[in-house]
Amino acid sequence: MQRTFRNAQRYDQAAFWLMEAVIPVAEELVADLKALEPAVKHLTRERQVLHRLPTTEGLLKRACEQNNGRLTVEVKATGGMVPRLGLAGSGGTSNFTTVVVGQLRGQEFVRGTKGWRQRWEQLHKCAASLIYSDPAVVCTWTRKEVMDLSRQAERLIREVPKFWADLKNAADFLSQENAQEIHRWSQHPDMPHRLWVRVDSGRALGLHANGEPFVKINLRCPPMPALSGKWEQLRDMTKVAA
């Protein structure tokens, strides 16, 4: 009897939450996601361009995954031996020291393994499924339909801000500052890789490594609009539908 009562209570709470909080603002949620589409398309396209340069992509990816975005070179030390770097507990010495040449911002762009386009399409489809002309139609649904939709809405409200943050992080990579950092890194006399970089008036980043074609990454990413306050308001109410 207690379980039956709790299930009925959760159903009532979920139905009320959907009718009063979620469905009335569903069109605004869809509009927020729709506004991100230009940036999604641009980042996906430019990420595919970088993928055609496996050597260059590997260098940048390692800088992000192993060095937190730091672009480094090993410089031969002067004046004798120096403590070995990067081998904690080894207690050895080395005649090379690590020098940080630059710092990459927007590391999510280089990692780029989550499929921004696919994630956007899934989230947009989920948000669109919440749009109904009459919120009262929820009253005609079965308990399973109401609970499934409330869980779907809760996942959407949780995942969209995370997606926006990842997308914003990736968009930050396409900047004049990053292009200059990569260019300075490639020009360092101790750079061990043959990497050619050209910055075209802040609009494009040209890249070319030994044996790879020359490509240009378009730095002019469309604006990343902020999410409306509806997401935060709904997030604070998701416990109602839990």
Side-chain angles (χ1 to χ4, degrees), residues 93-144:
T93 58
S94 171
N95 62 341
F96 288 88
T97 184
T98 300
V99 174
V100 177
V101 181
Q103 174 72 44
L104 289 177
R105 301 156 185 82
Q107 298 170 36
E108 190 67 31
F109 179 85
V110 179
R111 294 189 180 106
T113 58
K114 297 183 179 179
W116 301 307
R117 181 71 189 183
Q118 292 82 355
R119 288 174 69 191
W120 179 85
E121 289 176 348
Q122 291 170 359
L123 293 170
H124 185 266
K125 181 178 179 180
C126 181
S129 69
L130 299 173
I131 297 178
Y132 293 91
S133 58
D134 182 6
V137 74
V138 177
C139 297
T140 67
W141 291 353
T142 66
R143 177 172 307 191
K144 182 178 185 305

Side-chain angles (χ1 to χ4, degrees), residues 4-232:
T4 300
F5 173 76
R6 286 195 297 270
N7 288 341
Q9 189 178 44
R10 281 196 292 268
Y11 165 78
D12 290 340
Q13 290 173 336
F16 179 81
W17 179 65
L18 287 171
M19 287 189 294
E20 295 296 320
V22 179
I23 292 177
V25 300
E27 291 187 0
E28 296 178 55
L29 304 185
V30 171
D32 269 1
L33 281 166
K34 189 68 177 175
L36 299 178
E37 188 177 16
V40 169
K41 288 182 176 180
H42 182 85
L43 289 167
T44 300
R45 182 172 57 251
E46 300 312 312
R47 185 62 183 78
Q48 291 169 347
V49 171
L50 179 62
H51 193 60
R52 299 205 297 266
L53 305 175
T55 300
T56 305
E57 179 186 41
L59 291 173
L60 297 174
K61 192 171 184 178
R62 282 196 298 274
C64 290
E65 294 184 344
Q66 299 176 13
N67 297 320
N68 194 29
R70 292 188 296 272
L71 302 172
T72 62
V73 294
E74 296 295 317
V75 177
K76 192 168 184 177
T78 58
M81 306 293 276
V82 297
R84 189 190 303 272
L85 298 176
L87 297 175
S90 66
T93 58
S94 171
N95 62 341
F96 288 88
T97 184
T98 300
V99 174
V100 177
V101 181
Q103 174 72 44
L104 289 177
R105 301 156 185 82
Q107 298 170 36
E108 190 67 31
F109 179 85
V110 179
R111 294 189 180 106
T113 58
K114 297 183 179 179
W116 301 307
R117 181 71 189 183
Q118 292 82 355
R119 288 174 69 191
W120 179 85
E121 289 176 348
Q122 291 170 359
L123 293 170
H124 185 266
K125 181 178 179 180
C126 181
S129 69
L130 299 173
I131 297 178
Y132 293 91
S133 58
D134 182 6
V137 74
V138 177
C139 297
T140 67
W141 291 353
T142 66
R143 177 172 307 191
K144 182 178 185 305
E145 288 173 326
V146 170
M147 298 309 295
D148 285 349
L149 188 63
S150 68
R151 283 190 286 268
Q152 177 179 311
E154 191 275 333
R155 285 195 298 271
L156 178 75
I157 293 161
R158 183 180 65 247
E159 292 300 322
V160 167
K162 293 180 182 178
F163 173 71
W164 184 90
D166 284 345
L167 199 67
K168 180 65 170 63
N169 180 285
D172 288 344
F173 180 88
L174 302 181
S175 67
Q176 173 74 8
E177 290 76 17
N178 261 11
Q180 296 294 347
E181 296 284 275
I182 295 172
H183 183 261
R184 183 166 62 250
W185 182 48
S186 70
Q187 297 295 311
H188 196 283
D190 294 289
M191 175 65 167
H193 305 282
R194 298 183 65 186
L195 177 63
W196 288 269
V197 176
R198 189 173 74 198
V199 183
D200 181 14
S201 303
R203 296 184 175 184
L205 172 63
L207 297 169
H208 169 63
N210 190 30
E212 294 181 338
F214 181 83
V215 302
K216 283 187 176 183
I217 294 178
N218 187 349
L219 300 177
R220 293 172 294 180
C221 183
M224 271 284 301
L227 297 177
S228 70
K230 298 294 183 182
W231 296 95
E232 187 173 353

